[in-house]
Amino acid sequence: MVEQRLLTFTGYADIIKEIENLKKKGYRKGGSWTLGQVCRHMSYYYRGSLDGFARMLPWILRATVGKMMLKKYISGERRKPGGATAPDSVYPPDADDTEGIREALELLKRLEANRGPLHPSALFGEMTEDQWLKMHCSHSAHHLGFLIPNE
């Protein structure tokens, strides 16, 4: 059975705090991914927003389906487990979460310090900095919610 916490993040500092808490306390998996896998998956999108994505979906998909999905995801509507994602953003389980956590924290700190425009999304196309923030917060809350901290 899949178990998921309902998390809400309003900024990159919230995501950093949650990752550091899970690292410190340890966790049990409510889904199938480890903290390292979740961090690497999220880092794929953090990095893409900062440095650009290697592959973009066709313009017509970004302008139609992507725009509809963007509205849904940044509205705060809860995502369903098992949704489709870019195959390049899925990583095999690691024995050690350290590298995935390090990478995610480094990228989140870059996002916090960023003062310029971010790159277009491979799926959603052009996005404002506020839309990227809401998307990263929503996406991170979804995935980190499947990791239950030890007491």
Side-chain angles (χ1 to χ4, degrees):
M1 183 175 135
V2 173
E3 183 179 359
Q4 185 181 20
R5 298 176 294 148
L6 179 57
L7 298 175
T8 303
F9 300 134
T10 58
Y12 299 119
D14 295 341
I15 303 167
I16 291 168
K17 184 177 176 183
E18 181 63 22
I19 292 169
E20 289 174 340
N21 183 52
L22 289 164
K23 178 184 176 187
K24 178 181 175 183
K25 289 186 175 182
Y27 62 90
R28 65 183 166 78
K29 297 187 305 183
S32 59
W33 286 0
T34 66
L35 179 57
Q37 285 175 288
V38 167
C39 284
R40 284 195 166 120
H41 171 74
M42 295 183 312
S43 290
Y44 174 86
Y45 296 98
Y46 301 155
R47 181 176 286 104
S49 67
L50 286 161
D51 302 332
F53 289 89
R55 289 182 222 149
M56 300 289 284
L57 288 176
W59 172 86
I60 192 69
L61 289 176
R62 293 191 314 264
T64 56
V65 176
K67 290 298 179 199
M68 287 188 302
M69 290 175 69
L70 175 63
K71 286 179 187 176
K72 178 180 173 180
Y73 288 154
I74 65 174
S75 73
E77 185 175 324
R78 193 157 182 187
R79 299 170 187 222
K80 295 179 184 172
T85 192
D88 291 347
S89 73
V90 179
Y91 295 85
D94 292 322
D96 182 10
D97 290 342
T98 306
E99 181 56 27
I101 293 168
R102 184 205 60 74
E103 177 184 35
L105 293 174
E106 178 183 296
L107 289 165
L108 284 162
K109 288 172 185 171
R110 278 184 62 199
L111 282 162
E112 254 188 330
N114 184 64
R115 297 293 173 254
L118 295 168
H119 288 267
S121 164
L123 172 60
F124 307 120
E126 293 291 333
M127 293 171 60
T128 66
E129 289 175 60
D130 186 59
Q131 287 173 320
W132 264 122
L133 172 63
K134 289 177 182 173
M135 178 57 68
H136 285 317
C137 285
S138 167
H139 186 228
S140 299
H142 169 75
H143 287 290
L144 291 169
F146 289 106
L147 302 172
I148 318 303
N150 295 333
E151 295 303 319

